[in-house]
C-alpha cells in the first residue's frame, strides 16, 4: 500500500515577496506533501513590455516567486486571466524567473505545446503530474497556438435555449439588424471559425427548446487536445492533478456552478485524480466523484488586490482561504482531504513594506471554514475529510 499526498491552495495573487513569519503550519503542510502547487495569478515584471489591458494588472517580481518557493510549492499553474498582462514578453520572463527559482511552470508558454506540458513532480512515494488550463472567457489573443505565446485553453462555450416563440422573435431581431448576414459574410472568408450554425444573438448561440435555459460546454477541439495531454500524463504518473481557472461565475460566487462540477467529473472519467480550481476570489464547497476530490473553488491564498475596501464594503470575504492536502491510497479508489483554513495574505500597508504571509486560522474561525466547505457532502464523503489542527501538526 502506497500513499501519495498532493497539496494545493487558493490563488497566489502577489505583487512581491511576503514575510513568512507565522506561516509555519502552512509551510509544513506544503513541504511534507509529495507535491504542492498553486495558481500564480500574476506575471513577472518585464523590461520593455507594455500592458495588454487598460486596467487591473497584477505584476510580481523574483522576490515574490522566491517566497512561493520558500513556502514549499513545487509548481505554479499559470493558465489564468493575468498570465498575459504583459503579452508574450511577460510569458517568457515568468517562465525564466520561475524555473530559475527551482519551480516548474505549467499552463503558459511560448507555444501551445509548451503551455500544455504538465509538471512532473517526483515525491517520496511516487510521481505526480499537474496540468493547468483556463476555461475563459478571455479574448482569443491570450491563448497559445502553434506559433504564438499564451496560455493553455479549455474554453467553455455558452449555449442558450428558448421556446419557439422567443426563438422566432430573436431570429427576426437578428435579421432586422443584419447581424446574420454580416457574420455569415465574415465566416465565409475565414474571419470567423466559430460562427453558430443556427442562430447567434450578440455572440451567443441560441437554439429552440422547451423552456429558457443556458449552460456551458467545452470547446470540442480544446477538449480533444487536453484529453491527449491528460492521457499522456496518466501514463507517466501515479497521480494526475488538473488546475482549472474559470471566470464564468454564477451570481453567488460562493456556489460552484453546476457545469464546473460536470466538467470536473468528465476530467476524472478521463484520468484525473484531483481537480483544483480558482477564479472567483472566494472559497466554495468541495465534492467528490468516484472518491476523488473536486476542489473547484479554492479562492485565495495571497491576495494583493487594490480593491480591498470595495470587497469589504460589499461584504465579499476574500480574506478567508484554505490549503488542502489530498492523500491518495494507490491500493484504493479515492483520497482523504485534510483542510487547513487560513487567513489570506493581505497587501502591504505601504510602499516598501513586505506583505504578510497567509497564516492558519484556529478554533471557531477554522471550524466555520471547514463546515462551510463540507456542508454539501454526502455522509460517506464527509468521512474522507478532516480539519487540520495547526497546533498538532
Amino acid at each position: 500500500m502506497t500513499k501519495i499526498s498532493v497539496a494545493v491552495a487558493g490563488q497566489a495573487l502577489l505583487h512581491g515577496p511576503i514575510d513568512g513569519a507565522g506561516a509555519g503550519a502552512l509551510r509544513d503542510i506544503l513541504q511534507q506533501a509529495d507535491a504542492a502547487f498553486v495558481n500564480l495569478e500574476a506575471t513577472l515584471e518585464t523590461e520593455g513590455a507594455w500592458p495588454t489591458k487598460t486596467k487591473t494588472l497584477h505584476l510580481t517580481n523574483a522576490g515574490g516567486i522566491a517566497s512561493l518557493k520558500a513556502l514549499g510549492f513545487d509548481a505554479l499553474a499559470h493558465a489564468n486571466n493575468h498570465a498575459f498582462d504583459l503579452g508574450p514578453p511577460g510569458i517568457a520572463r515568468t517562465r525564466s524567473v520561475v524555473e530559475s527559482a527551482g519551480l516548474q511552470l505549467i499552463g503558459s508558454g511560448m507555444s501551445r505545446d509548451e503551455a500544455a506540458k504538465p509538471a512532473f513532480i517526483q515525491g517520496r512515494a511516487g510521481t505526480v503530474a499537474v496540468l493547468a488550463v483556463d476555461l475563459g472567457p478571455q479574448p482569443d489573443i491570450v491563448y497559445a497556438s502553434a506559433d504564438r505565446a499564451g496560455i493553455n485553453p479549455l474554453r467553455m462555450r455558452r449555449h442558450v435555449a428558448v421556446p419557439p416563440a422567443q426563438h422566432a422573435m430573436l431570429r427576426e431581431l437578428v435579421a432586422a439588424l443584419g447581424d446574420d448576414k454580416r457574420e455569415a459574410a465574415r465566416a465565409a472568408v475565414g474571419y470567423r471559425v466559430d460562427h453558430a450554425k443556427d442562430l447567434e444573438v450578440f455572440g451567443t448561440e441560441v437554439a429552440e427548446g422547451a423552456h429558457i435555459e443556458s449552460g456551458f460546454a467545452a470547446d470540442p477541439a480544446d477538449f480533444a487536445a487536453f484529453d491527449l495531454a491528460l492521457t499522456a500524463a496518466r501514463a507517466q504518473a501515479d497521480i494526475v492533478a488538473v488546475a482549472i481557472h474559470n471566470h464564468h461565475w454564477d451570481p453567488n460566487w460562493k456556489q460552484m456552478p453546476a457545469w464546473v462540477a460536470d466538467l470536473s467529473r468528465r476530467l476524472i472519467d478521463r484520468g484525473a485524480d484531483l481537480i483544483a480550481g480558482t477564479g472567483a476570489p472566494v472559497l466554495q464547497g468541495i465534492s467528490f466523484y468516484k472518491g476523488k476530490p473536486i476542489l473547484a473553488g479554492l479562492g485565495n491564498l495571497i491576495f494583493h488586490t487594490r480593491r480591498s475596501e470595495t470587497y469589504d464594503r460589499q461584504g465579499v470575504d476574500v480574506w478567508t482561504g484554505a490549503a488542502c492536502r489530498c492523500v491518495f491510497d494507490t491500493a484504493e479508489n479515492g483520497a482523504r482531504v485534510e483542510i487547513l483554513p487560513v487567513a489570506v495574505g493581505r497587501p502591504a500597508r505601504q510602499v516598501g513594506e513586505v506583505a504578510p504571509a497567509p497564516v492558519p486560522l484556529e478554533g471557531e474561525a477554522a471550524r466555520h471554514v471547514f463546515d462551510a466547505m463540507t456542508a454539501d457532502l454526502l455522509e460517506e464523503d464527509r468521512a474522507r475529510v478532516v480539519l487540520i489542527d495547526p497546533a498538532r501538526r
Side-chain angles (χ1 to χ4, degrees):
M1 180 176 68
T2 301
K3 292 186 177 180
I4 301 174
S5 60
V6 182
V8 62
Q11 62 190 3
L13 191 161
L14 76 174
H15 294 165
I18 60 172
D19 181 355
L26 171 63
R27 188 180 298 109
D28 287 349
I29 293 299
L30 299 175
Q31 293 183 350
Q32 291 169 10
D34 289 288
F37 67 96
V38 70
N39 176 59
L40 173 64
E41 189 80 356
T43 194
L44 264 291
E45 298 168 348
T46 305
E47 185 177 356
W50 55 89
T52 62
K53 298 176 178 177
T54 57
K55 65 176 183 178
T56 316
L57 299 176
H58 287 300
L59 307 180
T60 191
N61 54 34
I65 301 302
S67 292
L68 296 179
K69 173 66 174 177
L71 281 178
F73 289 110
D74 302 296
L76 306 180
H78 203 226
N80 60 59
N81 57 302
H82 288 292
F84 205 74
D85 279 3
L86 294 179
I91 294 283
R93 174 67 175 160
T94 301
R95 178 168 294 277
S96 174
V97 171
V98 168
E99 292 182 345
S100 294
L103 293 158
Q104 297 188 60
L105 187 72
I106 50 173
S108 71
M110 298 310 291
S111 68
R112 185 160 183 175
D113 284 347
E114 186 173 59
K117 285 182 179 178
F120 288 101
I121 303 165
Q122 184 61 53
R124 294 175 295 275
T127 302
V128 176
V130 187
L131 302 97
V133 288
D134 179 82
L135 308 182
Q138 294 207 62
D140 284 346
I141 190 63
V142 310
Y143 293 111
S145 67
D147 55 2
R148 187 180 69 234
I151 64 175
N152 194 27
L154 182 53
R155 286 162 283 204
M156 302 301 294
R157 308 295 191 185
R158 189 182 187 193
H159 53 86
V160 173
V162 299
Q166 283 92 335
H167 193 269
M169 180 187 68
L170 291 172
R171 187 180 293 281
E172 182 179 352
L173 172 65
V174 168
L177 294 173
D179 286 359
D180 52 350
K181 294 182 175 61
R182 183 179 298 108
E183 296 306 319
R186 287 166 57 84
V189 295
Y191 285 166
R192 288 198 55 183
V193 296
D194 60 346
H195 183 52
K197 295 180 180 179
D198 184 19
L199 175 64
E200 182 180 276
V201 182
F202 306 139
T204 298
E205 185 173 356
V206 180
E208 283 192 29
H211 47 79
I212 297 175
E213 60 181 353
S214 70
F216 290 87
D219 178 273
D222 286 353
F223 191 88
F226 184 70
D227 191 36
L228 288 175
L230 181 59
T231 300
R234 174 83 273 169
Q236 300 177 62
D238 300 290
I239 297 296
V240 178
V242 178
I244 60 175
H245 192 76
N246 160 46
H247 271 249
H248 296 284
W249 305 344
D250 275 2
N252 179 2
W253 290 1
K254 293 183 178 181
Q255 183 67 45
M256 178 176 65
W259 66 265
V260 174
D262 291 341
L263 174 65
S264 298
R265 290 190 286 265
R266 187 180 180 190
L267 294 176
I268 289 172
D269 281 337
R270 299 304 301 166
D273 297 295
L274 165 64
I275 308 299
T278 51
V282 296
L283 275 176
Q284 299 173 351
I286 69 174
S287 61
F288 289 85
Y289 176 62
K290 296 182 176 179
K292 298 180 179 181
I294 300 174
L295 315 175
L298 281 170
N300 305 314
L301 179 70
I302 302 165
F303 198 51
H304 293 173
T305 178
R306 299 182 181 91
R307 293 196 290 267
S308 297
E309 293 181 358
T310 300
Y311 285 119
D312 292 344
R313 187 169 56 250
Q314 296 297 321
V316 180
D317 183 10
V318 298
W319 307 118
T320 302
C324 297
R325 182 168 58 195
C326 305
V327 183
F328 296 86
D329 188 332
T330 57
E332 299 178 3
N333 184 27
R336 180 177 79 253
V337 177
E338 303 168 348
I339 297 177
L340 178 71
V342 300
V344 170
R346 292 176 177 262
R349 288 174 294 183
Q350 57 189 15
V351 176
E353 183 179 75
V354 178
V359 296
L361 295 172
E362 299 181 0
E364 285 301 314
R367 173 57 62 175
H368 177 75
V369 174
F370 180 82
D371 289 345
M373 292 180 68
T374 59
D376 295 329
L377 288 179
L378 299 174
E379 197 60 37
E380 61 188 86
D381 290 329
R382 190 179 298 275
R384 296 177 177 273
V385 186
V386 298
L387 174 63
I388 296 175
D389 182 351
R392 303 179 63 181
R393 65 186 186 276

